[in-house]
Amino acid sequence: MVTIHLDTRLVFFAVFVALSSAFPGQSERVEHLMETRSRFAMLEDVRLVANGLLQLGHSLREFVHKTKSQITDIFQKISIFDKSFYQLSTITSEIKEEEEHLMKTTSILKASNEKVINLSQEIHAKMNNILENRSQLQQKVVELEGKLSVLIHEPLPADQMDEISALKDVIDAQEKCISDLLKAVKEQHEQLSEQKIKIKIMEEKLTEGTLQATAMEAARFNQEPLVGNRLNASATGRFDLNDLPSDCQDVFDKGQRNSGVYLIKPNQSEPFSVYCDMTADGGSTVIQRRQDGSVEFDQTWEKYENGFGNLEREFWLGLRKIHSIALQGDYILRIELEDWKQGRRSADYRFSLEGPALHYVVHLRPLGGSLEDALGNQTGMGFTTKDRDNDNDAEANCAHSYTGGWWFNACGDANLNGKYIHGRARGRTERRRGMHWKPSRGSSYSIRTTKISIHSVPQDSSPLQRPSH
């Protein structure tokens, strides 16, 4: 546009020259006309350039805003990716550490197993020698009995009587030695079987750790995990899973007296590990324990149904597993609480549990104890978590309001799966959100540790209510 206006000025200049030569008296008028037209042409050029620059500025501003939003979105996605990658790296590191620990433990158990096998072979060899000696001694006894039958009517010399007496003492000692060795062989065989089971369990845990890492990485990228239940895969192991105990009382009846983790198979379900609390009277299956707040109990329905935590520290066994145990008969639920002054109290309830179709409804009947009843209004209630509301509060979810999963009844006076609060809770709201036990007619109990366990009762006792499948 500027070039066109410059050419126009040249045309006017040529006209001005021609008119000046043809009409000398008109030169001043033509010159004035030229100056006016040039001024208008320059203003028009400036206006056009200004409009162009203004449009260019608007376009640049829109481009800058658009680019700025795109850069912000890119930085947000990079931040989310970095956070996800960091979490995945942390979990992978923990799994690798646990895998290394399990491998070390497995190596130790395998070494112990080899020692037991060698010891069993040595005992077997000694047993063969003792049996040979026993056979020789029995042969001598037969010969002596033959001689005695011949000399039965004749008095024996004193030296022969002494020899016979000495031989009898030797035979008695050999018999006692053989009995002791047979008992030792039996104990060694039982220890060897137990070692094999422990090694198998450790191998399963080691396999589970690796498979869980694979499943977790697949879930991170929205892929379907390629693993199944490890217990299904281990059903072809070297020991008979059908011979496993049904609960901790059965573990006790099979001769175990030490508290710890054992593998059980209740009610024809898949085998799983439990913590057995052994006393002089029998074994109880621990279904929940809190002691230091190391495990987060504000979990989802899936977690509460399948279980979470560490069986040797803090854990929830899982509603599905508890139900499979409770189906076997009548059980007593024991609640043991400890306050911050190391005072301990307990309460017993007749207990049964419905299945998943009824949201694991609990049936409770107080039996006594040093704790006042705080679960009376929760019997007959389904289990509630923050993502599955089965309580009687129509306006809110008790698990969401007070944290943790429990058999809430709008919302009840007890919740042993609430938030772990270090020290005595300050205020009613904080107490209700934490672990609490408050009878309807009594003060709230400040809780430091909890342990919930179940143990079977004699079959001749009156049942509370048999749970459904």
Side-chain angles (χ1 to χ4, degrees), residues 419-437:
K419 180 181 178 182
Y420 189 92
I421 299 176
H422 295 271
R424 188 176 180 86
R426 298 178 181 178
R428 183 175 181 272
T429 302
E430 184 180 8
R431 183 177 65 248
R432 294 297 296 272
R433 289 183 63 83
M435 297 187 302
H436 66 274
W437 182 276

Side-chain angles (χ1 to χ4, degrees), residues 1-9 37-54:
M1 295 296 293
V2 176
T3 304
I4 294 172
H5 286 287
L6 290 176
D7 293 341
T8 305
R9 292 177 65 187
R37 290 182 177 276
S38 299
R39 189 179 301 115
F40 288 153
M42 291 177 66
L43 288 174
E44 182 66 21
D45 293 339
V46 170
R47 186 180 297 109
L48 291 173
V49 172
N51 288 334
L53 290 175
L54 184 61

Side-chain angles (χ1 to χ4, degrees), residues 361-375:
V361 169
V362 67
H363 300 283
L364 299 167
R365 188 176 71 199
L367 296 178
S370 56
L371 273 171
E372 293 186 62
D373 177 34
L375 297 180

Side-chain angles (χ1 to χ4, degrees), residues 305-447:
E305 189 172 40
N306 297 321
F308 55 86
N310 185 340
L311 286 176
E312 294 184 345
R313 296 188 61 80
E314 290 197 339
F315 69 93
W316 171 260
L317 182 60
L319 292 167
R320 194 183 302 277
K321 298 173 185 176
I322 299 170
H323 175 245
S324 67
I325 298 174
L327 277 176
Q328 300 179 123
D330 299 322
Y331 281 83
I332 291 177
L333 180 138
R334 165 160 289 187
I335 294 176
E336 300 175 61
L337 306 180
E338 179 182 351
D339 58 30
W340 290 93
K341 297 180 180 180
Q342 296 184 345
R344 294 178 175 85
R345 300 182 191 179
S346 63
D348 292 336
Y349 293 84
R350 288 296 294 268
F351 165 81
S352 65
L353 190 67
E354 302 288 353
L358 296 178
H359 313 299
Y360 299 102
V361 169
V362 67
H363 300 283
L364 299 167
R365 188 176 71 199
L367 296 178
S370 56
L371 273 171
E372 293 186 62
D373 177 34
L375 297 180
N377 70 337
Q378 295 178 338
T379 186
M381 295 306 304
F383 200 83
T384 292
T385 61
K386 60 185 179 182
D387 59 340
R388 189 76 65 88
D389 189 357
N390 296 311
D391 56 42
N392 277 342
D393 192 336
E395 298 180 355
N397 182 332
C398 296
H400 186 271
S401 302
Y402 296 122
T403 74
W406 194 251
W407 293 278
F408 292 105
N409 182 6
C411 282
D413 298 321
N415 177 13
L416 301 184
N417 288 337
K419 180 181 178 182
Y420 189 92
I421 299 176
H422 295 271
R424 188 176 180 86
R426 298 178 181 178
R428 183 175 181 272
T429 302
E430 184 180 8
R431 183 177 65 248
R432 294 297 296 272
R433 289 183 63 83
M435 297 187 302
H436 66 274
W437 182 276
K438 186 182 183 304
S440 57
R441 298 181 180 178
S443 59
S444 178
Y445 191 50
S446 178
I447 302 173

Side-chain angles (χ1 to χ4, degrees), residues 233-250:
S234 65
T236 58
R238 290 175 292 177
F239 60 93
D240 187 6
L241 292 177
N242 294 321
D243 194 36
L244 291 174
S246 59
D247 59 10
C248 288
Q249 180 61 43
D250 197 7

